[in-house]
């Protein structure tokens, strides 16, 4: 393989790993989408009735800033670069809350009081959890690195592994908002 100075290797077209099926995007705020692609190429993003275009930078990175959206869904998100297209479905626009802490946030629903009843009644696909596996990092991690995180819909089959604090907080917010 011959590498010439100034020639950038084309990267695969993709979005950052946080963008997936079943994701929730924050309502009433500009929505920043980013990823990688072939330098100089246009990236077209379609969400609801909104279409925006960006250009892949020389380093292979791109960003597209979408206008704020009201709560709702499910929607589809389509991102294209040339003939390459990525489509995510079952996207919600709503509230995204970060639940962070130590063992208190790791306490799972299956270990909470009345877990059996809670799990049986957990039919709310509007509550979603971004489950991020634990991993020690001694250096900064790129937001393009796939760390194994996944968006999970709330159901009796999945809720037992949700953070109990996060789940009950989300359930309470759904009733109020």
């Amino acid at each position: 393989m011959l590498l010439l100075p100034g020639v950038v290797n084309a990267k695969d077209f993709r979005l950052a790993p946080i963008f997936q099926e079943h994701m929730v995007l924050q309502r009433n705020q500009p929505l920043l989408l980013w990823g990688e692609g072939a330098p100089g190429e246009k990236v077209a993003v379609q969400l609801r009735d909104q279409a925006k275009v960006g250009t892949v930078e020389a380093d292979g990175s791109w960003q597209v800033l979408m206008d704020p959206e009201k709560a709702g869904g499910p929607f589809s998100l389509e991102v294209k670069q040339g003939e390459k297209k990525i489509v995510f479905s079952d996207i919600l626009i709503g509230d995204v809350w970060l639940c962070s802490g130590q063992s208190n946030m790791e306490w799972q629903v299956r270990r909470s009081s009345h877990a059996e009843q809670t799990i049986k009644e957990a039919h709310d696909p509007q509550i979603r959890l971004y489950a991020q596996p634990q991993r020690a990092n001694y250096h900064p991690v790129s937001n393009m690195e796939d760390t194994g995180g996944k968006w999970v819909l709330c159901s009796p089959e999945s809720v037992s592994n949700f953070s109990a604090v996060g789940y009950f907080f989300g359930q309470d917010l759904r009733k109020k908002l």
Side-chain angles (χ1 to χ4, degrees):
M1 174 186 238
L2 176 64
L3 294 176
L4 301 174
V7 176
V8 178
N9 291 334
K11 295 185 178 192
D12 290 332
F13 173 60
R14 66 187 184 122
L15 279 90
I18 188 99
F19 302 113
Q20 303 173 8
E21 297 281 318
H22 315 301
M23 69 180 150
V24 179
L25 299 172
Q26 182 61 46
R27 69 181 170 130
N28 303 331
Q29 296 291 321
L31 302 171
L32 181 64
L33 303 170
W34 67 91
E36 294 178 331
E41 293 287 323
K42 297 290 184 197
V43 175
V45 179
Q46 176 79 40
L47 175 64
R48 297 179 75 177
D49 58 352
Q50 220 188 126
K52 300 280 183 168
V53 177
T55 303
V56 182
E57 301 292 329
D59 68 356
S61 67
W62 60 265
Q63 292 184 350
V64 174
L65 186 63
M66 307 296 285
D67 295 332
E69 292 280 355
K70 293 181 181 176
F75 303 114
S76 291
L77 172 71
E78 182 179 290
V79 184
K80 295 190 324 188
Q81 177 188 291
E83 297 298 317
K84 298 176 183 175
K85 179 167 58 169
I86 300 169
V87 178
F88 295 123
S89 60
D90 193 32
I91 308 304
L92 295 181
I93 308 291
D95 289 312
V96 177
W97 293 85
L98 298 179
C99 299
S100 177
Q102 295 182 356
S103 58
N104 59 332
M105 294 310 259
E106 291 180 16
W107 192 261
Q108 297 162 320
V109 169
R110 70 173 176 250
R111 295 180 177 170
S112 64
S113 299
H114 313 291
E116 189 174 310
Q117 186 67 26
T118 299
I119 292 168
K120 191 166 91 174
E121 294 173 356
H123 295 279
D124 193 347
Q126 299 261 320
I127 294 177
R128 293 155 188 223
L129 172 74
Y130 183 76
Q132 176 62 54
Q134 288 186 5
R135 186 174 112 182
N137 292 304
Y138 300 102
H139 304 287
V141 176
S142 163
N143 62 16
M144 289 302 297
E145 184 176 332
D146 188 351
T147 56
K150 184 168 177 60
W151 285 96
V152 181
L153 285 82
C154 176
S155 71
E157 295 76 33
S158 66
V159 78
S160 66
N161 290 322
F162 277 36
S163 157
V165 172
Y167 173 69
F168 292 117
F169 179 64
Q171 198 177 40
D172 189 52
L173 287 172
R174 283 267 296 133
K175 290 175 189 170
K176 292 177 180 174
L177 299 176

